[in-house]
Amino acid sequence: MPAESDKWGWEHVSVFGGFDRGSGTKRWKCNHCNLRYNGSYSRVRAHLLGFSGVGVKSCPAIDRSLREAFQILEEERLVRKKKKNTSNGKPSKRIRSSLQTSLSWKTISKEDVDDIVARFFYADGLNVDIVNSPYFHEMVKAIGAFGFGYEPPSIDKLSDSFLGKEKGRIVKSIALVRESWPHTGCTILCVGRLDGAVGNFHVNIFVSSPRGLIFLKAVDVDDCDDGDHVLSGALSDAVSEVGPSNVLQIISHLDDAWKSTESYILSKFPHIFWSPCTSRSILMLMEEIAEMEWVKPIILCSKAIEQWMTTYQHGTSCIFFQSLKESCDLISAKFAPSYLFVQRIFELRQTLQEVVVSEEWKQWKLSIAEDVESVESAILGDDFWSKSHLLLELYEPFIRLLGVLDIDKSIIGAVYDWRVQALEIVKSKAIDDDILNQLEGLIENKWDLLFSPLHAAGYILNPRYIGKFQTKDKSVMRGWKATLERYESESTVRRLLREQLSAYWRLEGSLGEEDAVDCRDKMDPVAWWENFGFETPNLQTLAIKVLSQVSSVAMCREIWQTNDSSCREAANNLGVQRVEELVFVRNNLRLHCQKSYNLSSSPSQRNIISSSSSGIKTWDNCYLDYTKAIVDIHDRM
């Protein structure tokens, strides 16, 4: 019998004593729900893990995450128990029969096992990156815990019963997410990729809500005239599956060729918003800035420096600028190459200046016919560097927002505040009034085109921004008006929402209580409305739904940028239904893994923005990978 100290469940109950001396049956009370029971450890475990049929109820005070943590503790206890039994000479029947036929495995070394694992990958041509998957490590540990004699399931079982069982587990876990949709609403994310190998357009459809991101389905659209019809039908089916009343918006990462799909969806579901991806909008704004007259010379000069330094490198022994060339290649496609290009040149300022005054550079100049004096002057002078520094400072709020958008979190109420802060930063710089007016006009003119009205509504309804004079901002009020008209078709209900908004701004009733005022910038905005918005129920419902939405497809990029063709090829002989099940299971398992990493890693590990020694905010390697992913996606489109 295992020692009582190994039974983790006793730490979560209060024991009042045993019935008999030395008996495992005790009187105990759960520390979480205060329910009292008589029984042994098996009842304690069943109560905490939610097992039925042993005379105790599942603890109602334990949430899903805590129950999963208990499950891990229980699995570890069972592994220790099995190892102890084996070391005591009491192997199970399965292990005993295996030992009789495979005694040679008893003395196998770690090095031998590594050789066999490696041989498996090499012989079957699998992607060796799979060793980074937590599911691979989970599998290896489970096999090791089982011991000798484990036989893997057959291909028939893997493609049938086990696949169905895994899908059932995922559907059951997703059911918990679905329960929250009527309260918080949700966003459908629609991202596409042109698959050149098979000549079709591959679309992934996700559903995002505060409870979690799930993969719904994948659609292959052949390059033919009825492509719009196929995609429109699939997206319409997705909305119906989720529940039209639960869907607040659709964020599309498809190009303009699919505009008819947008028109069809909005005509069928007029209350749903079709919102641009905020990440893409920010990148497009950055490139709009790069086209301004005072910025163009900086970009052109940076390109000239890169070109000449690459030519110099090819003609000499210098190898430093290979890193410069590779960095530029990362973002040489369509979106936001200008910022990263100038930023990389700026980082190399000191090295570039050392190069152009070196003897090797001077000798190299004599061997070429072209004049490089303008490049030398730019590198050795102050004008180019000061303007580059100013441009990077103006880009800083854009980069900061891009980093925040890269997480599975709703910040829709903060995007418009970013707009305000960006303009304030611009005003604080020592730039001409004409340039300032151009920047303000650019952001103002492009806002309604590149950003959803929900950003304005979120800015108004986020309690931490009360008193920001939103009524004075025409763009904000246009967005609020558009939100009301799409969200609510009844004029009487819209009037009631406007009246309740005025009560919110005037801090009437529960909205103006001391705790409500004190918690405006301390609580999550959704939690604030849940606690203090009960006297304005219509506005409370709208606020919770708006503030619960994401505004970018960035959090699902690891799925959309992955080609499922190999997965589909392996399952083609199983039939269409099995292929769909396999893709559904695979992508949701990967999302679960991604979420687990985000929960377990520290904020510093997930931080996208870092500061350079020059004081300019720069992208780290994670963000470079993200930028490359965006470029790759749009190249395929």
Side-chain angles (χ1 to χ4, degrees):
M1 177 177 172
E4 293 295 309
S5 60
D6 193 44
K7 298 178 179 179
W8 55 271
W10 289 124
E11 298 179 4
H12 296 272
V13 299
S14 298
V15 179
F16 300 102
F19 288 117
D20 301 308
R21 186 171 183 179
S23 171
T25 302
K26 304 179 185 296
R27 299 183 181 93
W28 51 270
K29 180 184 74 171
C30 177
N31 296 337
H32 298 278
C33 66
N34 294 322
L35 290 176
R36 296 170 181 261
Y37 291 103
N38 298 328
S40 63
Y41 179 72
S42 62
R43 286 193 169 191
V44 174
R45 180 188 62 178
H47 177 68
L48 297 174
L49 293 176
F51 297 160
S52 59
V54 293
V56 295
K57 294 181 179 179
S58 173
C59 180
I62 295 177
D63 60 20
R64 181 185 175 192
S65 60
L66 184 56
R67 184 153 284 144
E68 288 178 349
F70 287 166
Q71 184 65 43
I72 293 173
L73 291 174
E74 179 64 12
E75 291 172 356
E76 292 174 348
R77 185 184 75 86
L78 294 176
V79 170
R80 290 193 296 271
K81 180 180 177 181
K82 179 176 289 188
K83 288 183 177 179
K84 185 175 181 180
N85 288 339
T86 303
S87 63
N88 290 337
K90 300 176 181 179
S92 65
K93 292 181 179 180
R94 282 182 295 183
I95 295 177
R96 188 179 295 115
S97 63
S98 173
L99 287 172
Q100 292 173 354
T101 57
S102 303
L103 290 175
S104 60
W105 292 100
K106 187 174 181 179
T107 57
I108 191 169
S109 68
K110 171 67 165 57
E111 185 177 358
D112 292 333
V113 176
D114 288 343
D115 287 341
I116 294 170
V117 171
R119 189 175 302 127
F120 161 74
F121 283 108
Y122 303 147
D124 288 270
L126 296 179
N127 182 0
V128 293
D129 285 341
I130 201 171
V131 298
N132 295 321
S133 168
Y135 298 111
F136 173 78
H137 293 276
E138 184 180 3
M139 175 190 72
V140 171
K141 289 178 181 178
I143 295 174
F146 181 88
F148 296 113
Y150 173 76
E151 294 291 337
S154 65
I155 183 62
D156 291 334
K157 288 185 177 181
L158 282 175
S159 59
D160 188 7
S161 58
F162 282 98
L163 180 59
K165 186 189 297 185
E166 190 64 33
K167 182 183 177 182
R169 291 193 192 100
I170 292 172
V171 170
K172 187 176 180 179
S173 67
I174 287 176
L176 299 174
V177 179
R178 286 179 177 272
E179 291 176 358
S180 67
W181 291 346
H183 178 61
T184 64
C186 59
T187 294
I188 290 181
L189 306 174
C190 186
V191 294
R193 182 185 70 247
L194 183 63
D195 192 338
V198 294
N200 63 13
F201 197 72
H202 185 69
V203 180
N204 287 320
I205 300 176
F206 303 81
V207 183
S208 172
S209 68
R211 191 70 68 86
L213 177 68
I214 67 172
F215 174 83
L216 196 63
K217 64 173 66 179
V219 183
D220 286 329
V221 182
D222 293 332
D223 188 14
C224 57
D225 295 335
D226 65 343
D228 267 331
H229 176 72
V230 173
L231 183 57
S232 298
L235 200 50
S236 176
D237 290 344
V239 173
S240 299
E241 181 179 344
V242 173
S245 61
N246 296 329
V247 180
L248 191 69
Q249 68 171 343
I250 296 172
I251 298 180
S252 169
H253 207 267
L254 309 177
D255 62 15
D256 293 338
W258 306 96
K259 275 291 183 183
S260 60
T261 298
E262 175 183 350
S263 301
Y264 173 78
I265 295 297
L266 295 184
S267 65
K268 187 173 182 179
F269 307 102
H271 68 284
I272 294 178
F273 293 82
W274 189 281
S275 301
C277 171
T278 303
S279 298
R280 182 174 182 177
S281 297
I282 293 297
L283 294 169
M284 292 177 71
L285 266 182
M286 292 172 68
E287 284 308 289
E288 292 279 353
I289 292 175
E291 291 299 314
M292 296 176 65
E293 288 301 320
W294 72 276
V295 177
K296 279 184 178 180
I298 303 174
I299 306 296
L300 292 174
C301 187
S302 298
K303 290 181 178 180
I305 292 173
E306 187 275 332
Q307 180 181 355
W308 277 113
M309 289 301 164
T310 301
T311 304
Y312 169 67
Q313 174 184 280
H314 290 161
T316 65
S317 60
C318 175
I319 60 172
F320 175 82
F321 293 102
Q322 184 63 34
S323 60
L324 171 65
K325 180 66 176 176
E326 290 173 353
S327 298
C328 291
D329 282 346
L330 281 175
I331 42 79
S332 61
K334 297 179 181 177
F335 288 95
S338 304
Y339 166 80
L340 193 55
F341 198 77
V342 175
Q343 184 260 339
R344 285 305 187 196
I345 294 292
F346 190 87
E347 281 186 344
L348 299 174
R349 176 178 181 175
Q350 181 176 348
T351 303
L352 290 170
Q353 290 176 338
E354 291 174 354
V355 166
V356 297
V357 296
S358 66
E359 286 299 323
E360 190 174 14
W361 173 269
K362 294 175 181 178
Q363 293 297 321
W364 173 78
K365 282 198 306 180
L366 298 176
S367 64
I368 61 173
E370 295 86 354
D371 183 15
V372 295
E373 294 297 328
S374 59
V375 170
E376 282 188 353
S377 298
I379 293 174
L380 295 175
D382 293 328
D383 184 63
F384 168 74
W385 300 114
S386 62
K387 289 180 179 178
S388 298
H389 186 270
L390 175 60
L391 177 61
L392 296 177
E393 283 187 318
L394 296 180
Y395 274 139
E396 177 188 348
F398 295 83
I399 305 306
R400 188 186 302 276
L401 182 60
L402 282 170
V404 175
L405 289 169
D406 193 37
I407 57 177
D408 185 7
K409 183 180 178 182
S410 172
I411 63 160
I412 200 165
V415 172
Y416 206 99
D417 186 60
W418 162 83
R419 175 186 186 271
V420 175
Q421 292 182 22
L423 289 175
E424 288 177 351
I425 291 176
V426 168
K427 293 176 182 178
S428 69
K429 305 303 177 184
I431 58 177
D432 296 336
D433 289 341
D434 289 342
I435 295 176
L436 175 61
N437 292 334
Q438 290 177 30
L439 287 170
E440 288 182 320
L442 173 64
I443 295 176
E444 175 70 23
N445 294 334
K446 294 290 183 179
W447 187 266
D448 290 343
L449 177 65
L450 296 177
F451 295 88
S452 170
L454 290 174
H455 293 300
Y459 184 54
I460 286 176
L461 296 172
N462 192 323
R464 67 188 55 182
Y465 302 134
I466 289 180
K468 289 281 189 176
F469 305 104
Q470 289 98 329
T471 56
K472 304 293 184 182
D473 192 317
K474 291 185 292 184
S475 181
V476 171
M477 297 312 295
R478 282 199 309 269
W480 169 249
K481 179 176 179 291
T483 298
L484 286 187
E485 291 174 350
R486 182 167 290 277
Y487 174 78
E488 182 52 64
S489 59
E490 295 290 335
S491 60
T492 54
V493 181
R494 290 199 300 270
R495 184 178 69 250
L496 181 59
L497 283 166
R498 289 189 170 99
E499 291 171 352
Q500 292 183 2
L501 178 67
S502 296
Y504 162 68
W505 274 336
R506 291 195 294 263
L507 305 180
E508 295 179 356
S510 61
L511 300 170
E513 292 176 353
E514 182 179 350
D515 282 353
V517 174
D518 181 61
C519 293
R520 284 197 315 227
D521 58 353
K522 297 176 182 177
M523 289 181 68
D524 174 80
V526 171
W528 187 90
W529 275 101
E530 290 172 337
N531 279 273
F532 303 111
F534 54 88
E535 292 183 357
T536 54
N538 299 77
L539 189 66
Q540 180 191 47
T541 298
L542 175 60
I544 289 172
K545 288 187 174 182
V546 169
L547 295 170
S548 295
Q549 307 313 308
V550 295
S551 60
S552 171
V553 301
M555 77 287 299
C556 58
R557 72 183 185 277
E558 291 184 11
I559 306 297
W560 104 58
Q561 74 185 54
T562 301
N563 195 332
D564 282 328
S565 59
S566 59
C567 172
R568 290 166 177 267
E569 287 177 12
N572 268 341
N573 61 333
L574 305 177
V576 174
Q577 182 180 354
R578 286 305 186 197
V579 173
E580 292 177 352
E581 288 185 355
L582 181 59
V583 173
F584 175 84
V585 167
R586 177 182 186 239
N587 288 338
N588 277 298
L589 285 174
R590 295 176 67 201
L591 286 175
H592 177 75
C593 175
Q594 178 178 307
K595 181 180 180 181
S596 299
Y597 169 76
N598 288 338
L599 290 174
S600 63
S601 59
S602 64
S604 61
Q605 288 176 304
R606 300 193 304 268
N607 186 28
I608 302 300
I609 307 301
S610 61
S611 299
S612 69
S613 58
S614 63
I616 301 296
K617 299 291 182 181
T618 62
W619 291 339
D620 61 11
N621 289 335
C622 292
Y623 195 74
L624 288 177
D625 290 341
Y626 166 56
T627 306
K628 185 176 185 294
I630 292 178
V631 169
D632 289 345
I633 297 307
H634 287 282
D635 277 347
R636 297 189 186 106
M637 291 170 59

